[in-house]
Amino acid sequence: MPLLIPGPSSPLLTQRLAEVCGYRVAKVSHKVFPDGESYIRVEDDLKEEAAIVVQSCSPPQDKRVMELLQLIDASWRAGASKVIAVVPYFAYSRQDKVFLPHEALSSKIIAKAIEAVGASFFVTVNVHSELVLGYFDKIKALSVDAFPEIADYLASLNLRDPLVLSPDRKRYPDAQRVAGLINGEAAFLEKKRDLKSGEVTTEEKTLAVKGRDVVIVDDIISTGGTIVNAARIILKGNPRRITAACVHGLYAANALEKLAAAGVEEVVSTDTIESQTSKVTVAKAIAGAIKRLLEG
Ligand code: R5P
């Protein structure tokens, strides 16, 4: 039977996957040397079983990426027959292409490194850009969708006449899918980001939100700037309540405080990055993908 190899960043999700899949969690030891280098050892003998490494690459991303590569390498050395790399949050996926000349193509570097250490398959959740999956050209790479689970959670909130808002035209299809699942309406705003300063500006738009519950959905909340801009625009229309929902809650630079100050009453995310807002689990969605890969 396959074994789950828990990465230091994803203990809760690994445990949930064990419950859903019925697989055992292998013993892994990890430490940091005094000079900051990471050490990983898979203590079990994997006896020619498939190993499922679970390691999100949330902050501190660079360290998590190194640990991920070590986990894959150590799984082979412990006798795995194949290694599935489950990376619920794929760091650097927003650097999915070269925006300015001579930039490093960070997401491709990570994809290549994962292939180079010998992963047999790659699974992530709501990858920021499909381009990233294309950088895996030796192994099958797939992204599973957490929005149905997020929609289930939102449905349990008994929202009043919900408007599901994408803060950016690019994410509108996600808002439409969530709206469809909770019998709401979908809308989007137009956002622009300055490539050099990173500053986000959002165009004003009048939306019919009076007395309604508005859910702003995005794949990632990092500094919270995108959602704060959207909340400011929405508040002008007197909604009943604003909720923010994302797959990956990074919450850099006091993002949660900024969201609360901007009138967002609740923030919900998944356990791709484990935090106090992880009210939705992606365990079932990932388990389905693992099963398909192992049977496939
Ligand atoms: C960007 O394209 C993503 O979909 C998110 O909108 C973005 O990463 C959010 O970042 P922040 O919270 O810093 O505005």
Side-chain angles (χ1 to χ4, degrees):
M1 189 178 287
L3 278 103
L4 288 153
I5 312 295
S9 63
S10 302
L12 184 62
L13 180 56
T14 310
Q15 202 45 52
R16 288 176 174 159
L17 273 171
E19 281 153 28
V20 176
C21 301
Y23 301 156
R24 191 164 71 77
V25 179
K27 192 157 173 20
V28 172
S29 54
H30 54 90
K31 64 181 177 188
V32 179
F33 288 107
D35 56 8
E37 292 180 357
S38 303
Y39 172 90
I40 294 277
R41 176 168 183 252
V42 173
E43 304 222 1
D44 292 60
D45 181 342
L46 300 182
K47 298 188 177 135
E48 299 286 311
E49 297 289 356
I52 301 153
V53 167
V54 188
Q55 167 83 342
S56 211
C57 291
S58 44
Q61 293 89 331
D62 299 357
K63 179 174 165 56
R64 298 310 188 198
V65 169
M66 182 59 191
E67 288 168 345
L68 167 68
L69 302 175
Q70 290 172 313
L71 287 158
I72 297 168
D73 185 69
S75 297
W76 283 120
R77 294 177 194 284
S81 59
K82 56 177 78 124
V83 181
I84 301 182
V86 175
V87 184
Y89 173 66
F90 191 102
Y92 292 97
S93 59
R94 286 168 289 176
Q95 187 76 45
D96 56 341
K97 58 185 177 203
V98 171
F99 296 92
L100 296 172
H102 310 171
E103 281 177 349
L105 185 41
S106 314
S107 56
K108 186 171 181 180
I109 296 171
I110 299 175
K112 292 287 148 216
I114 292 170
E115 285 188 334
V117 285
S120 319
F121 300 106
F122 174 80
V123 180
T124 189
V125 181
N126 291 88
V127 69
H128 178 70
S129 160
E130 292 286 323
L131 282 176
V132 173
L133 298 182
Y135 297 142
F136 291 87
D137 53 13
K138 293 195 179 71
I139 63 172
K140 188 165 183 177
L142 51 96
S143 172
V144 302
D145 185 14
F147 279 113
E149 270 86 2
I150 291 176
D152 279 351
Y153 176 81
L154 295 171
S156 76
L157 300 178
N158 294 317
L159 301 170
R160 184 193 290 172
D161 193 10
L163 178 74
V164 182
L165 179 70
S166 170
D168 182 356
R169 185 193 283 265
K170 240 171 56 191
R171 299 281 142 202
Y172 185 45
D174 293 333
Q176 284 177 306
R177 272 180 312 126
V178 172
L181 291 165
I182 64 170
N183 294 320
E185 190 192 344
F188 64 89
L189 296 171
E190 298 276 6
K191 168 183 114 171
K192 279 199 194 90
R193 188 182 289 272
D194 184 286
L195 285 180
K196 286 199 172 138
S197 68
E199 201 195 326
V200 170
T201 48
T202 308
E203 270 178 34
E204 290 292 330
K205 188 170 183 178
T206 307
L207 292 163
V209 294
K210 191 159 194 265
R212 298 174 76 180
D213 285 334
V214 178
V215 184
I216 308 170
V217 295
D218 208 345
D219 61 334
I220 299 169
I221 298 179
S222 179
T223 63
T226 299
I227 303 281
V228 165
N229 282 2
R232 284 202 185 118
I233 291 169
I234 287 300
L235 272 178
K236 293 179 189 159
N238 291 320
R240 188 173 84 125
R241 195 165 190 266
I242 301 179
T243 302
C246 68
V247 179
H248 312 291
L250 288 164
Y251 310 134
N254 299 321
L256 286 174
E257 286 85 339
K258 282 191 260 171
L259 294 176
V264 176
E265 289 189 31
E266 180 178 353
V267 181
V268 52
S269 68
T270 75
D271 51 4
T272 60
I273 298 173
E274 298 173 14
S275 76
Q276 76 267 34
T277 66
S278 303
K279 298 165 192 167
V280 172
T281 180
V282 292
K284 273 198 193 143
I286 291 176
I290 292 171
K291 230 174 148 209
R292 286 196 298 279
L293 289 171
L294 289 175
E295 285 167 1

